[in-house]
Amino acid sequence: MKSALSASRPRISIALCTFNGAEFLAEQLESFRRQTRLPDELIIGDDRSNDETHEIIKDFAEVAPFPVHLKINKKKLGSTENFQQTISRAGGDLIFLSDQDDVWQTEKIFVMEREFEKNPKLGLVFSDAALIDENSKPLGSNLWDFTFTKNEQSNIKSGKGFETLLRRSVITGATLAFRGDLRERILPVPQNIPNLLHDAWIALFCSIISDIKFVEQPLIGYRQHSSQQIGVDWQRGKTENLVKNLSRNAAARTLFYDHSIKFAEDEIERIEKTVKILKDKSDTEDFTGIQIDSIDKFAGKFLVEKQEMILHYKTRNDLPKNKFQRVFPIFRELLTKRYHNFSRGFLSAGKDFLEIRK
């Protein structure tokens, strides 16, 4: 990695991927044009849209104060591969990722560029986001209220970025930017690994080969709508009510636990495959931020955690119909602290004992 950005003004690339994004795309493009620090290029990879996406982009390119380069894929690639291809076309010193349906705050590029200028070793910066609805109305919450805990923020501040990101992805691609001279080391993005999209891989790999930092200021409006690929459960109360009422419907309870177990199993596969790739790359990469034995240590710790999670959910789902026969398995789950680690502590234990199972 270069020791710093060039002494002259760094080139800024925005890598934007689109697919049938006509409903919200124009507003996002306009937010690029309103930046206090304009980008030097907008690189767009379109995954064979069949709505008005192409026309919106072409109209914007005619008035944009920076070059707009659109490539329409010959075949549908999917989100991760489309982003990989689009990133590979970006020539900036700093590369900003963007989704098609958000809205950037006017100072986003300026604020994040300034962070890179402060620290030559900084490879990636990400920010918080304000949640907005389909009409761009604020929903009264921020992204990190649901995706990035205070403990995780503290860990990243103290240099535990890799450990935090290997455990789970806390960085949303639409909020991140990274140094362009890391691109060849980051790509290709590993394929066919569950729960590992392009943004999770970029953030994880940057945490090994460089410093990473977050900006607490929400720098985008992160839109929540029915057709988005990935969103957040900002209506958390509805989910909590579903969990509270699981005992009223045995099929719903089993579905919930089956889903949770499947997710934990996918996480085990993600960690195992990711660690193997990282260890293979360590033969040619200078992993200055972390040693291979530390990768194994963190992976082993999180694999045990996921295995314990699976055991806990299986135990809760398979509790006997007779209340008094549940005493021992419930007590065991309390003794091992699995109720506190993976459920809601004594509240969940009490619910499991008192509920009526037919």
Side-chain angles (χ1 to χ4, degrees):
M1 184 174 70
K2 296 177 183 177
S3 59
L5 297 175
S6 58
S8 60
R9 181 174 178 265
R11 283 182 54 78
I12 302 288
S13 297
I14 298 176
L16 167 67
C17 287
T18 59
F19 175 67
N20 289 348
E23 183 175 5
F24 304 114
L25 180 58
E27 188 175 2
Q28 174 69 308
L29 294 174
E30 185 61 27
S31 74
F32 297 160
R33 190 165 66 158
R34 292 199 307 265
Q35 291 296 299
T36 57
R37 198 303 197 188
L38 290 172
D40 294 281
E41 63 176 5
L42 171 59
I43 308 297
I44 304 177
D46 181 76
D47 213 14
R48 304 200 62 77
S49 295
N50 54 24
D51 62 359
E52 295 78 29
T53 292
H54 302 160
E55 289 72 21
I56 292 172
I57 293 171
K58 290 174 182 177
D59 289 345
F60 177 76
E62 292 180 359
V63 298
F66 44 80
V68 177
H69 304 289
L70 168 64
K71 179 178 180 180
I72 301 173
N73 299 331
K74 293 182 179 179
K75 64 177 182 178
K76 197 171 187 305
L77 300 178
S79 175
T80 292
E81 193 171 347
N82 192 22
F83 261 108
Q84 175 173 278
Q85 178 176 268
T86 305
I87 290 168
S88 70
R89 295 166 47 220
D93 298 303
L94 300 175
I95 299 174
F96 286 67
L97 302 190
S98 174
D99 291 341
Q100 64 186 2
D101 49 4
D102 301 322
V103 181
W104 286 15
Q105 301 299 323
T106 56
E107 69 274 21
K108 173 182 168 72
I109 292 179
F110 172 78
V111 170
M112 297 183 76
E113 179 187 26
R114 185 173 55 188
E115 294 298 329
F116 283 106
E117 290 175 340
K118 291 177 184 177
N119 180 4
K121 295 181 179 180
L122 190 62
L124 179 142
V125 178
F126 64 103
S127 76
D128 199 355
L131 302 186
I132 60 175
D133 68 9
E134 296 183 355
N135 300 310
S136 301
K137 180 181 178 182
L139 292 171
S141 300
N142 289 341
L143 177 64
W144 290 358
D145 295 336
F146 308 93
T147 64
F148 193 26
T149 68
K150 294 297 183 182
N151 185 57
E152 288 166 335
Q153 293 175 36
S154 178
N155 285 340
I156 287 184
K157 282 183 178 180
S158 63
K160 298 178 181 179
F162 173 77
E163 180 179 355
T164 302
L165 296 175
L166 182 63
R167 185 176 185 273
R168 76 181 189 98
S169 177
V170 300
I171 300 178
T172 299
T175 71
L176 74 80
F178 64 95
R179 289 189 188 265
D181 58 7
L182 298 181
R183 181 184 58 190
E184 300 305 319
R185 300 173 68 182
I186 291 169
L187 300 181
V189 177
Q191 302 292 315
N192 302 318
I193 298 180
N195 304 335
L196 186 73
L197 299 178
H198 62 280
D199 50 1
W201 170 254
I202 291 171
L204 180 67
F205 198 72
C206 283
S207 73
I208 299 179
I209 61 177
S210 71
D211 292 347
I212 65 172
K213 184 178 181 179
F214 59 83
V215 176
E216 296 184 23
Q217 178 182 352
L219 292 178
I220 72 169
Y222 188 56
R223 195 183 304 274
Q224 304 299 291
H225 59 93
S226 58
S227 58
Q228 70 189 129
Q229 182 182 29
I230 297 176
V232 297
D233 181 22
W234 63 275
Q235 295 175 307
R236 182 176 291 174
K238 291 185 178 180
T239 301
E240 289 180 348
N241 288 334
L242 172 64
V243 174
K244 288 178 183 177
N245 294 328
L246 287 176
S247 60
R248 301 178 186 175
N249 187 325
R253 182 180 65 243
T254 298
L255 181 63
F256 172 79
Y257 289 127
D258 285 349
H259 174 80
S260 300
I261 290 167
K262 178 61 167 61
F263 178 80
E265 291 172 342
D266 285 346
E267 283 290 274
I268 290 173
E269 182 179 353
R270 175 186 65 83
I271 292 170
E272 290 177 339
K273 288 185 174 180
T274 300
V275 168
K276 183 181 185 305
I277 292 171
L278 292 175
K279 293 176 74 171
D280 290 343
K281 290 177 75 72
S282 69
D283 294 335
T284 55
E285 284 284 351
D286 178 19
F287 286 175
T288 56
I290 194 168
Q291 301 299 319
I292 290 299
D293 58 351
S294 296
I295 293 177
D296 283 331
K297 181 183 73 173
F298 296 143
K301 173 184 175 183
F302 299 141
L303 288 173
V304 169
E305 177 184 302
K306 302 305 179 186
Q307 290 160 354
E308 290 283 292
M309 182 185 297
I310 291 171
L311 180 60
H312 175 66
Y313 288 137
K314 285 183 176 179
T315 299
R316 289 193 68 188
N317 191 45
D318 296 339
L319 287 172
K321 294 180 181 179
N322 185 295
K323 289 183 180 181
F324 295 102
Q325 291 178 349
R326 302 176 200 167
V327 171
F328 175 73
I330 290 175
F331 179 74
R332 182 185 61 202
E333 292 302 295
L334 284 170
L335 194 63
T336 60
K337 298 184 179 180
R338 287 195 284 259
Y339 266 116
H340 292 81
N341 292 335
F342 308 120
S343 295
R344 300 164 68 191
F346 289 109
L347 183 63
S348 295
K351 168 187 170 297
D352 282 348
F353 177 72
L354 294 173
E355 75 175 5
I356 299 173
R357 295 199 175 192
K358 297 179 180 180

